[in-house]
Amino acid sequence: MILIADSGSTKTDWCLLDPGKKENYFITEGYNPYFSDEQYIMNSIKNNFPKDIDRLSVKEVHFYGAGCQDDKTMVMEEILRSVFSNCEQITTEVDLLAAARGLLGNKPGFAAILGTGTNTCIYDGKKIVNNIDSLGFILGDEGSGAAMGKKILSDYLRNKMPESVKETFNRQYGLVPAEIINQIYGAPLANRFCAGFTRFLKHPDVDPDYSDQLVRSSFTEFFSNLVSCYPAYDRYTFNCIGSVGYHFKDILEQVLSDFKMQPGRILPSLITELVSYHSIS
């Protein structure tokens, strides 16, 4: 059996391919080796793997993950070898390559991730040939769910929200400033905590002018600080994977127009595209 996984910092989409049988899709939490330790990831995969599937029957794994680069690639491979101990082949690649393969297949172009985190690249149809570092949750990740969440929390803590929006926030979450600060600076997975507040922007009682302005400013920073830094970026169509890009697609396309770039494929997830890619390959 072949197992394919596309993992962000918040969730992982999996598909198990068993020749002659129906594809088996399931979801677990996300695994980023920069934010979670090895034992935690190992236990989570084991505990959330479907009980009716024998992990020892998995012979091939293709894992694409946020943070799976440099030395963290080997860390993730060792985790997967411990979980799928009978596996004959394990490949671990950064989630950005999954985005490029899923969105573009074997064609060259521009691919981006707009989810909990952010990433971008130029792809030549086989490999990533140019990648400007998003710098992660603390220094960058403009346009991401985590970045938008930080803006929301900053507005709340600094009393910059419109009063009606702040009242809705209080009703929705009931958080006091000390709890927020502790979650950001004292608890694990602060990026995931922040990204969770993007749902607030879709709340029916939140002033749409506030939501739209915050999302637009986030996407504008994303294009100013990342996308527009690629040479001749506006010659490419903008292809994007991720819940943030998908759910705020209307505003994203407005900012695309501001930067003279045409929209391409904008998808919420791409596990089915990766299944097709590996089935063809």
Side-chain angles (χ1 to χ4, degrees):
M1 288 194 290
I2 300 173
L3 186 62
I4 300 169
D6 178 30
S7 183
S9 292
T10 297
K11 74 178 179 74
T12 304
D13 292 310
W14 302 79
C15 182
L16 188 68
L17 303 176
D18 193 355
K21 295 185 179 180
K22 187 177 179 180
E23 296 161 354
N24 191 334
Y25 292 90
F26 58 98
I27 297 173
T28 67
E29 66 175 308
Y31 306 114
N32 187 324
Y34 278 97
F35 299 123
S36 299
D37 64 39
E38 297 172 44
Q39 194 63 50
Y40 178 90
I41 295 173
M42 190 185 308
N43 290 340
S44 179
I45 295 174
K46 288 180 178 179
N47 292 335
N48 291 286
F49 203 76
K51 303 302 182 186
D52 58 338
I53 299 173
D54 181 7
R55 286 186 281 109
L56 298 180
S57 65
V58 176
K59 299 300 181 184
E60 185 176 329
V61 175
H62 298 279
F63 187 94
Y64 298 91
C68 290
Q69 51 198 6
D70 302 324
D71 60 318
K72 297 300 184 182
T73 300
M74 293 303 299
V75 168
M76 199 68 213
E77 282 191 13
E78 289 303 312
I79 292 170
L80 294 169
R81 290 191 188 284
S82 297
V83 175
F84 306 104
S85 55
N86 276 358
C87 203
E88 298 168 359
Q89 178 187 348
I90 293 178
T91 59
T92 304
E93 304 277 5
V94 68
D95 59 346
L96 187 57
L97 183 59
R101 286 176 171 176
L103 291 165
L104 298 165
N106 294 314
K107 297 178 181 179
F110 181 92
I113 296 171
L114 278 172
T116 298
T118 299
N119 217 336
T120 54
C121 74
I122 304 296
Y123 176 69
D124 70 358
K126 293 184 178 179
K127 63 184 184 297
I128 293 169
V129 293
N130 193 358
N131 166 236
I132 297 173
D133 200 324
S134 71
L135 301 180
F137 170 64
I138 295 176
L139 294 179
D141 270 357
E142 295 92 337
S144 69
M148 290 183 189
K150 285 197 292 185
K151 285 179 179 290
I152 294 167
L153 294 174
S154 176
D155 284 353
Y156 175 73
L157 293 170
R158 290 173 172 169
N159 204 30
K160 292 173 65 178
M161 279 181 172
E163 192 60 35
S164 64
V165 176
K166 186 170 184 178
E167 289 173 1
T168 301
F169 187 93
N170 284 327
R171 288 197 305 271
Q172 184 74 12
Y173 299 107
L175 293 169
V176 298
E179 290 177 288
I180 295 171
I181 296 300
N182 181 63
Q183 283 290 332
I184 298 295
Y185 294 103
L189 302 173
N191 63 328
R192 191 187 296 180
F193 171 75
C194 289
F197 290 96
T198 56
R199 300 184 188 91
F200 177 69
L201 298 173
K202 291 285 189 178
H203 193 287
D205 293 335
V206 172
D207 182 351
D209 288 341
Y210 173 80
S211 297
D212 290 358
Q213 189 278 329
L214 189 146
V215 174
R216 176 180 283 276
S217 68
S218 295
F219 284 156
T220 299
E221 289 171 1
F222 169 66
F223 276 85
S224 296
N225 296 342
L226 278 170
V227 179
S228 64
C229 295
Y230 288 94
Y233 75 94
D234 53 355
R235 295 182 185 176
Y236 298 96
T237 59
F238 181 83
N239 302 282
C240 172
I241 179 67
S243 59
V244 172
Y246 182 78
H247 290 297
F248 296 105
K249 182 179 177 180
D250 54 341
I251 301 175
L252 176 59
E253 290 185 343
Q254 292 169 19
V255 177
L256 273 171
S257 179
D258 293 342
F259 283 83
K260 312 302 181 187
M261 204 172 184
Q262 294 297 314
R265 303 180 74 196
I266 300 175
L267 306 177
S269 63
L270 46 66
I271 188 65
T272 55
E273 283 75 15
L274 289 175
V275 168
S276 296
Y277 177 88
H278 283 284
S279 296
I280 294 171
S281 301

